[in-house]
């Protein structure tokens, strides 16, 4: 029997077949999970729908996480169909392209607000609606990056948003632990995706991994998916409030 047999959950953040959320979804489905997917807008629906159908998704719903009503509607629809859920994957981030290019002090008030809203606050809002449906406990996983705790070139306002996201992970974990709901973050190494294409000099982040990470390479969507499977299944039953690194060991090395 698969590790996720009998478990149902929602995947937020698939844009295409390169998305980390898709790498996670494939691992969960391979272990028997029943899935629902959300997509940001109609343009992305065309990409997400065939992917979701290929893993027998039971629901494929629109959701812009900057809009509370759309988040509420997703959980209402899921609640009506399933009654309860076991897990949520939150793999969403956004910042204005120019805020990932110019110097950090040039970040506008609106650019800062937008990055924080979509990349950090959305986890709080999603969890607020998910928790009442996690009647037998549950597990929530979000995606972060080393730029939350280190000043990584060009990551800028997204690093600040990831710091807020990691802190939110701990506060949510502390609040929801007594209900048997675990909340963790995976800090992934650099992976070529749509979101990553917005970060200036992203190629350099990959070559730094090839030269310096203990495994001498970066990681794959599949490897992130396997760690998400651990955190979302009963294998991770004693783990909450953690930032779990899937970055080939890069976070702890100092290059001479
Ligand atoms: P991606 O572009 O495939 O996924 C980002 C997703 O965010 C997309 O599906 C997009 O539709 C969604 N999104 C953006 N704004 C939204 C909104 N308002 N409402 C709903 N959805 C919205 O890229 P990815 O790299 O797979 O990113 C997934 C997560 O992984 C992000 O949190 C990202 O910061 C994180 N991450 C990525 C890397 C990397 O190198 N790619 C490394 C560490 C962490």
């Amino acid at each position: 029997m698969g590790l996720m047999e009998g478990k149902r959950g929602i995947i937020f953040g698939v844009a295409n077949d390169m998305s980390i959320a898709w790498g996670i979804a494939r691992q969960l489905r391979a272990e028997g999970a029943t899935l629902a997917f959300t997509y940001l807008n109609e343009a992305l629906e065309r990409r997400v729908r065939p992917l979701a159908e290929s893993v027998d998704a039971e629901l494929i719903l629109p959701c812009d996480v900057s809009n509370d009503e759309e988040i509420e509607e997703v959980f209402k629809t899921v609640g009506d169909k399933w009654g309860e859920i076991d897990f949520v994957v939150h793999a969403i981030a956004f910042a204005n392209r120019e805020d990932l290019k110019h110097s950090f002090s040039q970040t506008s008030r609106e650019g800062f607000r937008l990055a924080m809203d979509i990349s950090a606050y959305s986890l709080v809002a999603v969890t607020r609606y998910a928790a009442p449906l996690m009647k037998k406990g549950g597990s929530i996983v979000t995606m972060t990056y080393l730029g939350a705790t280190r000043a990584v070139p060009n990551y800028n306002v997204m690093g600040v948003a990831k710091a807020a996201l990691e802190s939110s992970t701990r506060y949510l974990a502390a609040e929801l632990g007594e209900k048997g709901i675990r909340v963790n973050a995976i800090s992934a190494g650099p992976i070529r995706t749509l979101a990553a294409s917005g970060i200036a000099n992203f190629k350099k982040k990959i070559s730094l991994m090839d030269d310096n990470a203990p495994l001498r390479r970066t990681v794959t969507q599949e490897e992130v998916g396997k760690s998400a499977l651990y955190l979302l299944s009963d294998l991770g039953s004693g783990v909450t409030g953690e930032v779990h690194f899937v970055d080939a060991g890069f976070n702890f090395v100092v290059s001479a």
Side-chain angles (χ1 to χ4, degrees):
M1 202 169 106
L3 286 169
M4 300 300 289
E5 212 71 55
K7 291 190 191 290
R8 292 183 285 214
I10 314 176
I11 314 282
F12 289 82
V14 177
N16 55 39
D17 64 358
M18 301 293 282
S19 294
I20 292 174
W22 178 239
I24 297 173
R26 286 211 323 234
Q27 294 295 319
L28 297 174
R29 181 61 187 157
E31 290 294 328
T34 299
L35 303 173
F37 288 80
T38 68
Y39 56 85
L40 170 59
N41 54 33
E42 276 176 28
L44 287 178
E45 181 184 4
R46 283 195 291 278
R47 304 225 167 156
V48 176
R49 189 167 284 283
L51 292 172
E53 285 171 355
S54 75
V55 291
D56 309 309
E58 293 198 356
L59 289 162
I60 306 166
L61 304 165
C63 187
D64 179 338
V65 294
S66 64
N67 183 329
D68 281 327
E69 283 156 23
E70 289 193 26
I71 300 174
E72 193 175 0
E73 188 58 32
V74 165
F75 284 96
K76 192 183 171 310
T77 308
V78 169
D80 287 348
K81 180 152 178 87
W82 290 342
E84 53 188 273
I85 59 171
D86 302 284
F87 63 89
V88 166
V89 173
H90 173 279
I92 286 175
F94 184 79
N96 285 326
R97 214 163 251 264
E98 63 266 25
D99 287 331
L100 303 174
K101 287 204 165 68
H102 55 47
S103 39
F104 178 59
S105 63
Q106 301 305 312
T107 309
S108 66
R109 193 177 295 273
E110 175 53 20
F112 193 97
R113 188 203 63 73
L114 184 70
M116 289 292 254
D117 182 13
I118 295 173
S119 314
Y121 178 72
S122 64
L123 176 71
V124 180
V126 162
T127 301
R128 180 163 67 248
Y129 292 107
L133 289 179
M134 293 182 158
K135 294 173 186 166
K136 297 195 294 284
S139 178
I140 298 171
V141 163
T142 188
M143 292 301 310
T144 186
Y145 177 62
L146 189 60
T149 51
R150 311 279 178 88
V152 173
N154 303 314
Y155 205 59
N156 295 3
V157 70
M158 189 53 79
V160 178
K162 291 300 190 193
L165 180 75
E166 291 184 8
S167 182
S168 301
T169 299
R170 289 185 285 273
Y171 276 96
L172 292 168
E175 175 190 332
L176 296 168
E178 66 183 5
K179 297 195 167 105
I181 299 172
R182 300 181 291 108
V183 190
N184 291 288
I186 292 177
S187 186
I191 300 176
R192 281 179 221 282
T193 62
L194 196 60
S197 69
I199 298 163
N201 259 331
F202 186 76
K203 266 191 200 150
K204 198 168 165 199
K205 298 204 181 344
I206 304 256
S207 62
L208 274 174
M209 298 287 290
D210 295 342
D211 294 340
N212 300 296
L215 297 182
R216 295 294 187 273
R217 63 173 176 85
T218 194
V219 294
T220 64
Q221 289 87 336
E222 185 190 0
E223 287 173 316
V224 175
K226 288 191 284 189
S227 283
L229 171 64
Y230 150 70
L231 290 168
L232 293 168
S233 72
D234 291 341
L235 292 181
S237 61
V239 183
T240 196
E242 280 292 309
V243 175
H244 175 88
F245 281 93
V246 184
D247 71 341
F250 185 77
N251 71 89
F252 65 79
V253 296
V254 177
S255 49

